[in-house]
Every structure is written in C-alpha cells, then in structure tokens.
Amino acid sequence: MITPLHLDVRRSAAGGETDFELSLAVPSDLEYVGPAVELIAGRFRTGILSPRRVRFNLRTALAEVLANAIAYGNRQDPSRQVRVRVEASREAVRIHVTDDGDGFDPAAVPNPTLPAYLEREDGRGLFVLRGLVDCVDFNEKGNSVCLTLRAG
Amino acid sequence: MSFSLTKDKRGVVVVAVDGQLIVGNRQELKQKALDALDGGARKFVIDFTKTGYIDSSGLGVLVSLSKKIREQGGDLRLAGLNEDLQTLFELTKLDTLFSIAQTPAEALAAF
C-alpha cells in the first residue's frame, strides 16, 4: 500500500503559466515510480512540451531516472528518499533527481545494443534515457542527474 | 487493470497492456504470461495498442519472457506499437530480437 505523494509547486511572479518549479520527495519503493511520474507529468498541460513528448519522452525519462535512483542509488532502503526538482521555463524543462547512494560512473555502463548485451534483461536505462531527452548530466559523484528537455 | 489476457480458439494468448509497462508492474505481466506458459500455452502476442509508455525494465521483462517462451518451443510477438514505442525498440535494437506486427490481428494471422 502506498501513501499519497506531495508535490510542492512554486510559480515565479513574472513568468506566467510556463515558469514554475516542482519539488517532490519519493520513498525508495519502486511502487511509487508510476504515481510520481503521473503527478509530475500532469503539470505539463501548459504547452512547454508537446502533448506527445509529455506522453512518451517525459514520462519514460522520469520512470527511468526514478527507478535507477530507487533501485541502484538508494537500494530500496526505506529510510532513504529520492529528491526530485523540476524547473520549467519557456525555453526548457530541467529535471534534477538526487539519491542518497554512493553514485556510479556513467561512462562505465556498457552499450546495451552490442550483441553480447542485447538479450540481457537489464542495463538499458541510461541508454534509453539518452535517447529520450536533449541532455543528461550527472554530478561528479554520480548520485544526481539533470535531464533537459528543450521546449517544443 | 494493467493487463488483460485473452485466448483465441487456436490457443494463442493475447496480453493487452493498458497504460504503461514499467518497473512497478512488470512482474505482474511476467507472472501472468508464465502462468499461461505453465498451463500449456506456447504462442503469445503482447498488444501495445493502448500503451502510453514502456521503460527499460518493461523492455527487459519482454526480453526475458521471450527467452523463456522460446526455451519451451514457443514464440512471443509484439503488436500495436505506436511511432514512439517503435522508435524505442529501434533505438535499443530490440526490433531485431522480436517479431513486430502492426496490429494484433496481423500478429495472430502470422502464427
């Protein structure tokens, strides 16, 4: 049984409909991925991103980063949370996701489309993520990622 | 419900994915398909006509299911992918691993 998530919404005084910031703390349980994705995606009816990119790119990218942070970062430890901050402006949407884990080296993740990896069940998350958004930036430690989706 | 199973008169199992196939519900799809496999079914179609998005865990579960079904001499086919989902399969080269039909009817006819 999951408890309802609380989304904090802040609007900039001058920015109108397109400028806002969302923040959300997600418990380290994979059951929360779907509800957290819907909660955030539901805020993007304002036209920054096309309905198609909200339906597919934004939702899939959010599911990927949240699942990675919960499963690999926080190792599903119930005492840890994943912190999400979304900055929306007329130009772009930036999604910052941070976990309490030790981080990882994104450059060390093998290409899952190579024949040796193609039939593996996992290992596609980062690769898929890079195909869905305009920019994927990790901090040095590797426990915080920023996804950028340019407007349109 | 995320997944509904139907069986045609030739015994082909069609699993329709409603909404999304992601980390939070993939085990449910896997279990339903494996139960049908245990029950003797060998031909499967996963219908994505009503699917919004699939994450990499969802892709992974399709890969492992397909492998298990093939080990039992069966086959798993995909159908009803919209343009975005089709691109996801192409991006990950999983379009080379699966037989993908435009519609569930086409996938069924190909068995």
Side-chain angles (χ1 to χ4, degrees), chain A residues 11 14 33 46 48 51 54 59 75 78 83-85 92 99 101 108 111-112 118 129 131 136 141 147-148 150:
Chain A
R11 291 193 178 282
V33 172
T46 51
I48 306 169
V54 173
R59 279 184 165 83
R75 305 203 173 274
R83 295 172 299 285
V84 184
R85 192 165 55 85
D99 61 58
N111 181 340
L118 195 60
L129 201 53
V136 179
K141 187 178 171 188
L147 311 179
T148 305
R150 288 189 206 105

Side-chain angles (χ1 to χ4, degrees), chain A residues 62-137:
Chain A
L62 280 168
E64 293 296 348
V65 279
L66 287 171
N68 281 343
I70 291 169
Y72 299 113
N74 287 350
R75 305 203 173 274
Q76 304 194 55
D77 176 347
S79 71
R80 294 170 159 186
Q81 288 193 320
V82 172
R83 295 172 299 285
V84 184
R85 192 165 55 85
V86 181
E87 299 169 290
S89 71
R90 224 165 302 167
E91 291 79 37
V93 176
R94 286 194 176 79
I95 303 163
H96 306 266
V97 177
T98 306
D99 61 58
D100 292 329
D102 300 329
F104 77 115
D105 177 10
V109 178
N111 181 340
T113 65
L114 294 172
Y117 298 102
L118 195 60
E119 291 206 58
R120 295 217 352 205
E121 182 162 351
D122 45 25
R124 288 183 187 85
L126 187 55
F127 184 85
V128 165
L129 201 53
R130 289 197 167 115
L132 290 170
V133 302
D134 296 300
C135 208
V136 179
D137 293 307

Side-chain angles (χ1 to χ4, degrees), chain A residues 37 52 60 64 119 121 125 127, chain B residues 54 56 60 64 67 84 91:
Chain A
V37 168
R52 181 172 166 182
T60 314
E64 293 296 348
E119 291 206 58
E121 182 162 351
F127 184 85
Chain B
I54 303 175
S56 62
S64 74
K67 208 189 279 184
D84 290 322
L91 175 76

Side-chain angles (χ1 to χ4, degrees), chain A residues 30-31 33-34 37-38 52 55-57 59-60 63-64 67 112-113 118-121 124-125 127-128 131, chain B residues 22-24 26 30 52-56 60-61 63-64 67 70 83-85 88 91-94 96-97:
Chain A
L30 293 168
E31 291 288 323
V33 172
V37 168
E38 291 312 313
R52 181 172 166 182
R55 188 186 64 223
F56 179 69
N57 301 61
R59 279 184 165 83
T60 314
E64 293 296 348
T113 65
L118 195 60
E119 291 206 58
R120 295 217 352 205
E121 182 162 351
R124 288 183 187 85
F127 184 85
V128 165
Chain B
I22 60 169
V23 67
R26 62 175 172 161
K30 192 171 185 177
Y53 68 106
I54 303 175
D55 72 0
S56 62
V61 93
V63 170
S64 74
K67 208 189 279 184
R70 274 184 279 128
E83 206 179 315
D84 290 322
L85 295 176
L88 182 67
L91 175 76
T92 53
K93 297 214 167 109
L94 291 178
T96 62
L97 213 62

